[in-house]
Amino acid sequence: MHIPDGFLSPVVTLPAWAVATPLWWLSARRGLGGTPVESVPVVGSLTALAFVLQGIAIPVPGGTSVHLSGAALLAILYGPATAFACQSLVLLLQAVLLGAGGVTVLPVNAIALGLAGPGVAWLVHRALVRASGRAAAFAGAWAGTQAATLAVALVLGLQHRLAPSYMPVPFEVTVVAMMVPSLAVLGVVEGLYTVAALSILRRARLVDAR
């Protein structure tokens, strides 16, 4: 769901930088700084895997693409702050090394894919985990995917209203083009990935069996 450089004007990106900058500081301090030493290799490996997953992008009409994220898994295991910090690092490396997304739109992508999506995934998982761990993981990842996708679509829709010269595609087209594959396919695959990855990590005793 990366938004490329050039699709958002400074009217949108500058406030996003103002919001994201203190959030990055807090997430690095509380998320990465609060991660137990024994969990660092797992967090690093899951972040690297998220980098690979997000590099496989499928373009859709409306100025963006769809892809797996892997951020819901990080949020479920280590909390939204860690997920936001790791996802932001992934997005930065993709922008600098691969040209995916972009530097000017980095805070928008980070807030949508690294905060909104994983935050919803974490909340849904916590609400349902006592009933069924696997169902909670699947539902969390599915719901987080929808939240991230909708956040990106809303930003693009706002840009179209503010300055269509930057984003000529109307919100009605963008939201349908993004949400249909997200609801029907992407969220399901993200949920299955999250459940499978959790199962493997727990069997290997790399994370708590909770």
Side-chain angles (χ1 to χ4, degrees), residues 7 17 19 45 67 79-80 86 100 115 123 132 145 154 156 192 197 210:
F7 279 80
W17 276 101
V19 172
S45 298
H67 53 75
C86 294
L115 187 60
L123 287 172
S132 172
T145 301
L154 288 172
L156 292 173
L192 293 174
R210 48 188 172 156

Side-chain angles (χ1 to χ4, degrees), residues 18-118:
V19 172
T21 299
L23 292 176
W24 281 324
W25 181 82
L26 287 172
S27 66
R29 182 176 180 180
R30 298 184 180 180
L32 298 182
T35 302
V37 174
E38 62 271 16
S39 299
V40 171
V42 179
V43 172
S45 298
L46 293 179
T47 303
L49 183 56
F51 178 84
V52 174
L53 290 173
Q54 292 175 48
I56 307 172
I58 304 171
V60 298
T64 186
S65 60
V66 296
H67 53 75
L68 294 180
S69 122
L73 179 61
L74 281 163
I76 288 171
L77 288 174
Y78 302 106
T82 299
F84 180 58
C86 294
Q87 179 74 320
S88 297
L89 177 60
V90 167
L91 292 168
L92 175 62
L93 291 176
Q94 288 180 335
V96 173
L97 300 178
L98 304 179
V103 175
T104 64
V105 294
L106 177 63
V108 178
N109 285 328
I111 291 171
L113 278 69
L115 187 60

Side-chain angles (χ1 to χ4, degrees), residues 1 46 49-50 53-54 66-76 87 113 117-118 121 134 137-146 148-149 181-198:
M1 289 84 71
L46 293 179
L49 183 56
L53 290 173
Q54 292 175 48
V66 296
H67 53 75
L68 294 180
S69 122
L73 179 61
L74 281 163
I76 288 171
Q87 179 74 320
L113 278 69
R134 289 187 177 182
F138 180 90
W142 184 89
T145 301
Q146 311 320 316
T149 305
S182 181
L183 288 164
V185 179
L186 190 62
V188 174
V189 178
E190 185 81 38
L192 293 174
Y193 159 77
T194 302
V195 171
L198 277 173

Side-chain angles (χ1 to χ4, degrees), residues 191-206:
L192 293 174
Y193 159 77
T194 302
V195 171
L198 277 173
S199 178
I200 292 171
L201 290 170
R202 286 167 179 166
R203 287 181 182 177
R205 297 183 179 180
L206 296 175

